[in-house]
Amino acid sequence: MNPIRQRIAVIGAGISGLASAYFLSRRHEVVLYEAGNYLGGHTNTVDVTLEGTTCSVDTGFLVYNERTYPNFIHLLHELGVSNIASDMSFAVSMDEGALEWAGTSLDTLFAQRLRMLSPSFIRMVLNILHFNRNSQRFLGEVHGNALTLGQLLQENSYGPLFRDAYLLPMAAAIWSSTPADILKFPAATFLRFCLNHALLQINDRPQWRTVQGGAREYVKRIASSLSDYRLNTPVHAITRSANHATVTAAGGEERFDAVVLATHAPASLALLEDAGPLEREILGAVRYQPNTAWLHTDETLMPRQRKLWSSWNYLSGAKVDGQRPVCVSYWLNRLQSLPFETPVVVTLNPHHPPEASKVLARFEYEHPIMDQATINAQDRLQEIQGHGRVWYAGAWTGYGFHEDGLKSALRVAGAFDAAPSWAVLP
């Protein structure tokens, strides 16, 4: 605990940086640096005008649930931000529509009626039921070892269609990673996440929600509480001494008592001019998957059968080798209850660009890859946390999601005696 008022720099204005600045500014003087032209990072809400109506839509962070986002829910309540119900319906369209199904009902599961007579498809359905029913047992068996998801599937003789048309599409859509990288995920991490989020059960699933008016509503509330945040101000370097840390950014150098690096792990490492061996080893172990997001109205980037359209839609082309970045289309009309008849879609890494006349915007995002190297880096973060006046925050310190970024900020805030009483930290 450090109750003395300090001058703190926070680098990066995604959820981790915003929350760090918000909580720390209650007791300390905070300067928030952001290289881009908006606050929020993956919380990137834009206005779309269609059919004579303008509406806010989210393009990065989209949904949260009532069970596994307790801190984010507390934060929204504290900020006075409203929400509306959403859902997590999921569809798969493979080989350019040759195989399509959705999990909404038996009608959508067997939308291609001949699948009722397909032994491989029936085996996939049975494998799904078996995997979901035994996932808790599997977690107990793999706890504490380095078994990968791919090895777990192989050891338990799950079929290729279960892997390629169900588990990998679901996981790749959630983590925005390639199927090849998903297979390298630690099985324990994958199972624990899916069980916590009730993704492997039919009943008693948590209600998913989205921020009313777009997620930038909470960003606005945080921004209004900050006295010094600087957009379009990339930080070039951080150097440290016994008495202070120096931040070199566009506009010159400034001294601080502490620095919070709320950036991607490789970016944090690159900023440390005097990085030590441990910092290079831990931060350098975390990899990221670049993903291009297109906001558009092109229906060809959705399942062929309209009745299969779901909130999340995994798409694969004719040639799939597992190395290609995941292609998933998020149907925002359904996710955010948009007032449009025209479908509004965010597609990550489409196999072909949307029709030019139907493109609304394009964005570049990066998502952490949850392989064993990243898990090991998370376990070792305390070896460098707070050393040399530098603290680290980011979704990469957890499962890679909004709640994880917020929890990392709460931990940093706690070290400066600035965490809220409602913080839920295991």
Side-chain angles (χ1 to χ4, degrees), residues 24 56 96 124 157 189 194 210 222-223 226 246 271 301 306 332 338 341 343 350 357 375 384 394 399 408 414 417:
L24 290 171
S56 301
E96 298 181 344
M124 180 194 82
S157 302
T189 300
C194 289
T210 189
I222 291 179
L226 303 179
T246 300
L271 291 176
L301 290 170
R306 179 68 181 248
L332 300 185
L338 301 182
E341 292 293 330
S357 64
I375 303 304
I384 60 173
Y399 290 111
S408 73
D417 196 27

Side-chain angles (χ1 to χ4, degrees), residues 25 60 120 137 140 150 171 174 177 226 245 263 295 299 320 341 420:
S25 63
S120 62
R137 175 175 65 83
I174 291 171
S177 297
L226 303 179
T263 50
L295 179 65
E299 296 185 18
V320 179
E341 292 293 330

Side-chain angles (χ1 to χ4, degrees), residues 267-293:
S268 295
L269 178 59
L271 291 176
L272 296 174
E273 286 207 336
D274 52 359
L278 275 179
E279 291 162 333
R280 288 194 291 269
E281 185 176 344
I282 293 170
L283 298 174
V286 184
R287 295 187 299 129
Y288 283 75
Q289 171 66 51
N291 292 298
T292 301

Side-chain angles (χ1 to χ4, degrees), residues 8-24:
I8 303 172
V10 178
I11 317 300
I15 178 64
S16 306
L18 281 171
S20 295
Y22 175 64
F23 298 126
L24 290 171

Side-chain angles (χ1 to χ4, degrees), residues 132-304:
N132 294 357
R133 187 168 56 247
N134 289 276
S135 55
Q136 190 68 57
R137 175 175 65 83
F138 289 150
L139 179 58
E141 293 174 353
V142 303
H143 179 71
N145 66 45
L147 193 75
T148 67
L149 178 60
Q151 290 169 332
L152 176 69
L153 298 180
Q154 187 172 18
E155 286 187 5
N156 288 275
S157 302
Y158 283 104
L161 204 60
F162 167 82
R163 180 193 63 212
D164 298 334
Y166 168 67
L167 202 65
L168 288 183
M170 178 181 69
I174 291 171
W175 275 283
S176 303
S177 297
T178 68
D181 279 325
I182 293 293
L183 288 173
K184 297 174 186 175
F185 278 19
T189 300
F190 175 83
L191 290 166
R192 192 177 299 112
F193 176 87
C194 289
L195 287 166
N196 288 346
H197 286 71
L199 297 176
L200 302 177
Q201 61 194 61
I202 302 300
N203 301 314
D204 192 31
R205 290 188 172 185
Q207 175 64 58
W208 288 84
R209 298 193 172 276
T210 189
V211 178
Q212 189 168 24
R216 70 179 172 196
E217 290 302 312
Y218 86 78
V219 176
K220 290 178 183 178
R221 307 290 173 91
I222 291 179
S224 68
S225 74
L226 303 179
S227 60
D228 191 350
Y229 64 85
R230 306 174 186 181
L231 297 176
N232 301 304
T233 309
V235 171
H236 303 307
I238 296 166
T239 54
R240 296 166 285 184
S241 70
N243 299 318
H244 62 264
T246 300
V247 173
T248 303
E253 296 182 353
E254 291 190 56
R255 290 186 175 184
F256 295 90
D257 298 302
V259 175
V260 179
L261 283 172
T263 50
H264 296 335
S268 295
L269 178 59
L271 291 176
L272 296 174
E273 286 207 336
D274 52 359
L278 275 179
E279 291 162 333
R280 288 194 291 269
E281 185 176 344
I282 293 170
L283 298 174
V286 184
R287 295 187 299 129
Y288 283 75
Q289 171 66 51
N291 292 298
T292 301
W294 295 79
L295 179 65
H296 63 90
T297 61
D298 190 342
E299 296 185 18
T300 66
L301 290 170
M302 291 289 283
R304 297 287 179 89

